[in-house]
């Protein structure tokens, strides 16, 4: 079951990663750096957990529901900041990262997919109830492919877009990054909130479709900045 859960947990992230890397076909990323970024995303999952538990205790002390939108905002901000931190601390200074404006977006989606892969594995362990494959495991895999895994890549990809845009325009990154982190946090929190309130396939899927439309358009915009430079 361990091997099956790991494989199924990785499949959604690897599938989306292949898709995003194809968007940067002009100057493909070094595979070793992509792999490192993916692993860093997985590590971030373990670093986020104690922070989220800390905030969970604070919410209990102030009688704030863990399912309130404010709680989801805090949780989402924590995840997005840790994913961003991994790229900022360990990938940002590499030559490949700074080669063209689209690269921050590529690496932010990569770190997010590494994060999502570890989340997927944990979720599948909880859903397996000891059996190798059952309908719940398969359903969970599919839902995380079109739901949480895609959400992670879209949210962090938003940060990457504004980071890359600041590079393309030759301006200070921090104002753009702040806007990107806020937008990513709101998208992430809204998705989680809607899942709890309305279920996984009601309003969440249209939300992700709309977000995906903008993210793919952002990829194209950064490619245009590259051609103009």
């Amino acid at each position: 079951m361990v091997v099956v859960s790991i494989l199924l947990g990785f499949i959604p992230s690897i599938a989306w990663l292949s898709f995003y890397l194809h968007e940067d076909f002009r100057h493909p990323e070094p595979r070793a750096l992509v792999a490192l970024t993916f692993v860093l995303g997985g590590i971030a999952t373990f670093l986020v957990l104690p922070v989220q538990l800390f905030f969970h205790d604070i919410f209990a002390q102030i009688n704030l529901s863990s399912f309130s939108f404010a709680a989801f905002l805090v949780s989402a901000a924590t995840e997005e900041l840790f994913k961003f931190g991994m790229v900022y601390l360990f990938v940002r200074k590499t030559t490949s990262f700074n080669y063209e404006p689209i690269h921050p977006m590529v690496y932010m989606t990569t770190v997010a997919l590494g994060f999502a892969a570890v989340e997927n594995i944990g979720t599948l362990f909880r859903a397996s109830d000891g059996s190798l494959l059952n309908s719940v495991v398969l359903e969970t895999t599919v839902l995380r492919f079109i739901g949480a895994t895609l959400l992670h890549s879209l949210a962090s990809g938003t940060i990457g877009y504004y980071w890359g845009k600041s590079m393309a325009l030759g301006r200070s990154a921090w104002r753009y990054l702040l806007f990107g982190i806020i937008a990513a946090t709101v998208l992430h929190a809204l998705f989680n909130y809607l899942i709890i309130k309305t279920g996984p396939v009601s309003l969440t899927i249209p939300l992700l479709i709309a977000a995906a439309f903008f993210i793919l358009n952002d990829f194209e915009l950064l490619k245009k900045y590259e051609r103009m430079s």
Side-chain angles (χ1 to χ4, degrees):
M1 183 59 221
V2 173
V3 174
V4 173
S5 293
I6 291 174
L7 289 175
L8 289 176
F10 272 103
I11 286 173
S13 289
I14 296 301
W16 285 118
L17 180 60
S18 299
F19 171 79
Y20 285 118
L21 290 178
H22 180 71
E23 290 294 306
D24 188 32
F25 63 89
R26 289 171 60 88
H27 300 105
E29 306 302 316
R31 290 298 181 256
L33 187 56
V34 170
L36 172 63
T37 307
F38 190 90
V39 170
L40 288 171
I43 293 172
T45 313
F46 297 100
L47 299 178
V48 161
L49 183 58
V51 178
Q52 290 180 324
L53 291 175
F54 169 76
F55 281 116
H56 183 271
D57 290 339
I58 292 179
F59 297 153
Q61 292 173 18
I62 62 175
N63 295 319
L64 177 66
S65 171
S66 296
F67 298 112
S68 65
F69 188 66
F72 282 123
L73 279 174
V74 172
S75 178
T78 303
E79 294 186 11
E80 296 306 328
L81 285 170
F82 269 86
K83 287 183 284 183
F84 164 71
M86 286 297 189
V87 175
Y88 186 83
L89 293 175
F90 299 105
V91 182
R92 174 180 60 95
K93 293 184 179 181
T94 62
T95 302
S96 178
F97 182 88
N98 292 291
Y99 188 67
E100 59 186 54
I102 199 174
H103 285 174
M105 199 168 181
V106 171
Y107 285 109
M108 283 302 303
T109 55
T110 301
V111 79
L113 291 169
F115 190 102
V118 174
E119 270 196 351
N120 292 345
I121 293 169
T123 302
L124 288 170
F125 270 119
R126 292 193 296 271
S128 65
D129 66 20
S131 58
L132 285 177
L133 279 178
N134 57 42
S135 60
V136 176
V137 170
L138 295 175
E139 180 182 352
T140 301
T141 302
V142 172
L143 287 176
R144 289 198 66 85
F145 177 82
I146 62 175
T149 304
L150 177 58
L151 177 275
H152 273 291
S153 69
L154 294 175
S156 295
T158 301
I159 299 173
Y161 168 70
Y162 285 101
W163 199 347
K165 185 175 180 179
S166 70
M167 290 170 53
L169 299 177
R171 297 174 182 173
S172 174
W174 289 109
R175 184 180 67 178
Y176 288 86
L177 280 171
L178 178 60
F179 185 86
I181 290 170
I182 292 173
T185 296
V186 172
L187 172 62
H188 195 151
L190 185 59
F191 174 86
N192 290 338
Y193 182 77
L194 288 175
I195 279 186
I196 296 299
K197 297 297 183 180
T198 66
V201 292
S202 51
L203 296 177
T204 55
I205 298 303
L207 174 67
L208 289 182
I209 291 174
F213 173 81
F214 284 105
I215 289 297
L216 291 176
N217 184 62
D218 291 343
F219 264 108
E220 296 304 318
L221 288 174
L222 289 181
K223 288 177 185 178
K224 291 180 181 179
Y225 281 125
E226 172 199 351
R227 290 193 290 268
M228 290 187 296
S229 61

